[in-house]
Amino acid sequence: MPTEYVAWGWTRGSGLPGLRSIRKALPQPSANQLLVANSVIALNPVDWKMIEWGHDDWRDGHVPGVDGVGVVVTAGPDASIRPGTRVAYHQGLSADGSFAEYSLIDARAAIVLPDELDDAVAAALPCPGLTALQALDKLPQAGVGDVLVVGAGGAVGSLLAQMAVQRGMRVWATASPKHHEQLLEQGVLGVFDYHRPEWQSELQARLGSRRLSAIFDTVSARHAANLAELLGYNGHLVCIQDRQETAPLPAFSTAVSLHEVALNSLHVHGVEADWQRYQQQGAYLLQQVAQGQLRASPLLPFDFNELPAKLEALRDAEQHGKWITRLQPGQVPA
């Protein structure tokens, strides 16, 4: 085992241009931790946002990155997952993350990979897939009919739309035209181009006398608030980006419920029951993709040394898909 590893380090106030290749001392796991040798790292929007915005717990040299896949090389004495196991994980924002050769994670955050699932596909799943599942879990167990997924061409929205179809919901979506055919093939009833100003009236015409039971918005709180009038009585407005700070509709009108989704909060506020649910959802997600029941976003491979540039490409929405990089410990230049 090496005594140091290569990582991308954050610099306060410098944003994406401030990311630097650094060396850090290799940590050792405590009681219920795992040291993972990363084989694939995936990029998510939260990564570039936190690098540009900063975080209260970050200091210079903090390693960003929430999603990764690798092999457990060392396990704490209380960890149930043993060395040699392939795992995917979602890392909390306060800890050093996945943009590195090695990551130290809470054993509860590790999800064992099915044998047939490729590391790169698995790495692209934790943040968007678990976010989508948590968003769906905001709705009641029964009584949900028509739902709208806003931004169904993205990593979160695409998985959410597919899983909503699996749960028997009547799913409608907005997405750019290049995603329409695939979404319709996956069971979405109708897809609308959000660039067209008349898309809302087109949706309402398709619904007829029905109203939406839920809206899942992946854009922003302001965008979600502008859609609230599409909801029917006792509907649900689920914000996946931001949260509603004020009610978007008058009191005692359609009595909609407001929901926020914050996967990182599990690492701060989760109790054992919450972590058990995380494990169940993670295993379900990986197995569904491995069996071809869910289709993940296309992969966009890049070299580890290009990571800052690809975060900029993700921020600027230059390509559709999941940016992923493969690496082998000891083969990453400092």
Side-chain angles (χ1 to χ4, degrees):
M1 289 289 291
T3 58
E4 293 184 330
Y5 67 100
V6 175
W8 285 100
W10 176 80
T11 304
R12 183 176 300 279
S14 299
L16 293 176
L19 284 179
R20 296 287 183 267
S21 181
I22 62 173
R23 286 189 174 274
K24 302 194 76 167
L26 193 70
Q28 293 302 312
S30 60
N32 199 37
Q33 290 182 315
L34 304 172
L35 183 64
V36 177
N38 291 317
S39 59
V40 183
I41 299 163
L43 306 186
N44 291 282
V46 67
D47 297 324
W48 69 257
K49 291 177 181 179
M50 297 312 303
I51 291 168
E52 293 200 337
W53 299 346
H55 188 282
D56 289 343
D57 294 336
W58 289 14
R59 302 293 181 266
D60 286 358
H62 177 87
V63 180
V66 297
D67 277 357
V69 161
V71 175
V72 177
V73 292
T74 312
D78 294 340
S80 60
I81 298 176
R82 306 317 303 162
T85 307
R86 286 194 312 146
V87 298
Y89 63 87
H90 179 273
Q91 179 71 307
L93 291 173
S94 295
D96 274 349
S98 62
F99 294 174
E101 290 181 288
Y102 293 88
S103 295
L104 186 66
I105 66 171
D106 188 317
R108 297 174 300 181
I111 307 163
V112 178
L113 266 61
D115 291 340
E116 64 271 30
L117 188 61
D118 180 76
D119 287 13
V121 176
L125 294 173
C127 187
L130 291 168
T131 296
L133 282 165
Q134 290 196 1
L136 281 167
D137 281 351
K138 300 291 182 178
L139 304 190
Q141 295 281 328
V144 176
D146 294 274
V147 304
L148 173 66
V149 180
V150 178
V156 176
S158 173
L159 289 167
L160 200 158
Q162 294 174 70
M163 290 186 283
V165 170
Q166 288 182 345
R167 295 189 182 193
M169 301 175 190
R170 294 188 294 269
V171 181
W172 308 85
T174 69
S176 58
K178 63 185 176 183
H179 301 299
H180 288 196
E181 181 178 355
Q182 178 178 311
L183 288 164
L184 292 170
E185 290 174 353
Q186 292 169 342
V188 174
L189 296 176
V191 191
F192 305 92
D193 183 356
Y194 53 82
H195 295 108
R196 291 167 50 86
E198 61 270 28
W199 76 263
Q200 293 188 36
S201 58
E202 292 172 352
L203 168 61
Q204 194 59 63
R206 293 284 301 274
L207 288 171
S209 61
R210 302 194 309 274
R211 301 294 298 274
L212 292 174
S213 297
I215 295 173
F216 300 95
D217 187 278
T218 67
V219 180
S220 69
R222 177 178 295 182
H223 189 269
N226 290 334
L227 300 177
E229 291 185 352
L230 293 173
L231 287 166
Y233 176 62
N234 278 342
H236 301 265
L237 185 61
V238 185
C239 286
I240 295 172
Q241 296 286 348
D242 309 325
R243 56 174 280 170
Q244 295 294 322
E245 299 293 346
T246 58
L249 297 172
F252 307 110
S253 54
T254 47
V256 301
S257 297
L258 308 178
H259 306 274
E260 63 176 306
V261 181
L263 181 57
N264 179 69
S265 294
L266 171 66
H267 295 270
V268 183
H269 302 288
V271 297
E272 286 306 313
D274 300 315
W275 281 108
Q276 289 172 10
R277 180 62 176 160
Y278 165 95
Q279 289 283 340
Q280 293 167 358
Q281 290 181 325
Y284 164 82
L285 175 67
L286 298 185
Q287 196 64 53
Q288 285 283 292
V289 174
Q291 294 175 352
Q293 302 301 310
L294 286 175
R295 181 173 176 178
S297 297
L299 302 181
L300 304 173
F302 68 93
D303 188 88
F304 184 74
N305 291 316
E306 301 175 318
L307 189 145
K310 297 311 179 185
L311 283 169
E312 291 182 2
L314 176 61
R315 178 195 62 193
D316 300 337
E318 292 181 5
Q319 283 184 265
H320 167 68
K322 286 290 293 184
W323 291 103
I324 60 99
T325 182
R326 293 182 183 268
L327 66 161
Q328 294 292 331
Q331 297 182 3
V332 176

